[in-house]
């Protein structure tokens, strides 16, 4: 919508000479000349306020079920220009929650009393990055209540010793503010309690495996998911990063960082986790299921459609019925190409050529 917002991505070669780039600009000129122009205001910046140690919010969401919700935990990360630190944090989050064998999965999902059914992770790129874990399928019912139900159904399925161990599950509402978040941070604090990193599950081999997987992901995204690469790398550089750098500089720095990370010690990774995930303020959002809100929305929808039908009257409803029937016929025709032929084709002579 604005000439200053147009970006052109040229692929297929390591370098493009000036004459080639000039030809691209010349081909685009007829299009850009028709767009409004304004001075770009880049890079974007945010005025960040200090955070308390924990900032928690509960958001009810409409659903007919009231058994599960979700909890999102987020920490402020480094500036988007700190490519090496962001690469390390991306690897760290993959190590912590990349597979069912990862530490957070083993503690909160793959256990006798799961506190979530899945864990999503991401490093969201803004002027200051956000480090995010989303715990999905968090049960509202306590583990202790579930224990009681299971025992009544099949008392003989558990030995006395195992029943004693499993009854230690929390009876707290996991969707209450700070409950799950505090458990996660406490677990992270425990596995990073030794400065040498000796408590990190899987040791250095697991972290090096996460580095290797991140290298594969980066290669795959450039080759097979160009749009995602544009969003996470090119667009990030244009919007937020130091304008004296360029994307190829950022990309080469990512590769160099991953190569270096494979040689970092356990103590280095331990300090990284403590700095950003244990000692750093966090924000948490508890998505609590609300059948009441779902019923309210359903009732509001019924009232809306009833009022809409009355406003249309018989003639309006008849017209909508004819239009729906015609739309259905158009869909059927489009399957064999007849519908497409109704629309004018683009004149190739009007397309700018290089």
């Amino acid at each position: 919508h604005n000439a200053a917002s147009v970006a052109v991505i040229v692929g297929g070669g390591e370098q493009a000479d000036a004459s080639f780039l000039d030809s691209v600009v010349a081909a685009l000129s007829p299009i850009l000349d028709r767009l409004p122009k304004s001075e770009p205001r880049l890079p974007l910046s945010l005025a960040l306020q200090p955070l308390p140690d924990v900032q928690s919010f509960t958001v009810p969401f409409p659903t007919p079920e009231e058994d599960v919700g979700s909890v999102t935990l987020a920490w402020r990360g480094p500036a988007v220009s700190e490519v090496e630190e962001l690469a390390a944090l991306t690897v760290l989050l993959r190590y912590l929650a990349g597979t069912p064998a990862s530490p957070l999965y083993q503690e909160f999902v793959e256990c006798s009393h799961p506190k979530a059914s899945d864990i999503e992770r991401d490093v969201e790129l803004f002027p200051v990055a956000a480090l995010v874990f989303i715990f999905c399928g968090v049960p509202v019912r306590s583990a202790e209540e579930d224990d009681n139900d299971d025992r009544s159904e099949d008392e003989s399925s558990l030995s006395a010793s195992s029943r004693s161990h499993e009854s230690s599950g929390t009876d707290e509402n996991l969707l209450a503010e700070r409950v799950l978040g505090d458990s996660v941070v406490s677990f992270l604090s425990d596995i990073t309690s030794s400065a040498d990193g000796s408590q990190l599950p899987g040791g250095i081999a697991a972290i090096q495996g996460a580095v290797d997987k991140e290298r594969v992901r980066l290669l795959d995204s450039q080759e097979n998911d160009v749009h995602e690469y544009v969003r996470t790398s090119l667009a990030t550089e244009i919007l937020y990063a130091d304008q004296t750098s360029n994307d190829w500089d950022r990309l080469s720095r990512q590769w160099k960082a991953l190569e270096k990370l494979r040689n970092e010690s356990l103590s280095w990774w331990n300090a990284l986790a403590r700095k950003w995930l244990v000692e750093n303020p966090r924000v948490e959002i508890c998505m609590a299921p609300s059948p009441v809100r779902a019923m309210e929305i359903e009732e509001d929808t019924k009232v809306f459609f009833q009022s809409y039908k009355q406003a249309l009257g018989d003639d309006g409803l008849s017209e909508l019925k004819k239009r729906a029937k015609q739309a259905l016929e158009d869909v059927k025709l489009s399957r064999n190409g007849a519908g497409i032929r109704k629309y004018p084709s683009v004149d190739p002579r009007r397309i700018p050529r290089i």
Side-chain angles (χ1 to χ4, degrees), residues 33 55 74 121 174 185 188-189 203 222 224 228 236 259 261 269 279 295 326 328:
D33 290 344
Q55 195 168 17
R121 72 188 192 284
L174 294 176
V185 173
L188 294 174
S189 179
Q222 292 175 52
N224 299 318
E228 179 67 10
T236 298
E259 292 172 3
L261 288 173
W269 288 104
E279 299 166 356
M295 293 174 61
Q326 183 60 50
L328 182 59

Side-chain angles (χ1 to χ4, degrees), residues 163-180:
R163 284 201 299 267
S164 174
H165 170 73
E166 294 202 3
S167 65
S168 63
T170 178
D171 58 357
E172 293 181 285
N173 177 6
L174 294 176
L175 293 176
E177 294 183 0
R178 296 193 61 162
V179 173
L180 184 57

Side-chain angles (χ1 to χ4, degrees), residues 121-249:
R121 72 188 192 284
D122 200 3
V123 177
E124 296 282 357
L125 297 180
F126 303 104
V128 171
L131 316 176
V132 181
F133 287 122
I134 303 176
F135 289 76
C136 308
V138 177
V140 176
R141 294 188 69 195
S142 69
E144 186 171 353
E145 289 173 333
D146 288 337
D147 272 347
N148 293 334
D149 289 346
D150 292 341
R151 290 174 196 151
S152 64
E153 291 175 3
D154 191 2
E155 190 71 345
S156 63
S157 63
L158 294 173
S159 66
S161 60
S162 65
R163 284 201 299 267
S164 174
H165 170 73
E166 294 202 3
S167 65
S168 63
T170 178
D171 58 357
E172 293 181 285
N173 177 6
L174 294 176
L175 293 176
E177 294 183 0
R178 296 193 61 162
V179 173
L180 184 57
D182 283 355
S183 295
V184 172
V185 173
S186 176
F187 171 73
L188 294 174
S189 179
D190 287 344
I191 65 174
T192 59
S193 58
S194 297
D196 60 0
S198 58
Q199 299 300 313
L200 290 172
I204 195 63
I207 297 178
Q208 288 175 343
V211 174
D212 294 339
K213 289 179 181 178
E214 186 59 25
R215 287 171 57 87
V216 172
R217 183 204 66 80
L218 192 59
L219 278 171
D220 183 70
S221 68
Q222 292 175 52
E223 183 175 353
N224 299 318
D225 196 354
V226 177
H227 290 89
E228 179 67 10
Y229 170 70
V230 169
R231 182 185 74 83
T232 58
S233 193
L234 287 176
T236 298
E237 195 73 18
I238 293 169
L239 291 175
Y240 305 135
D242 180 0
Q243 298 301 291
T244 60
S245 66
N246 58 65
D247 183 66
W248 297 112
D249 173 65

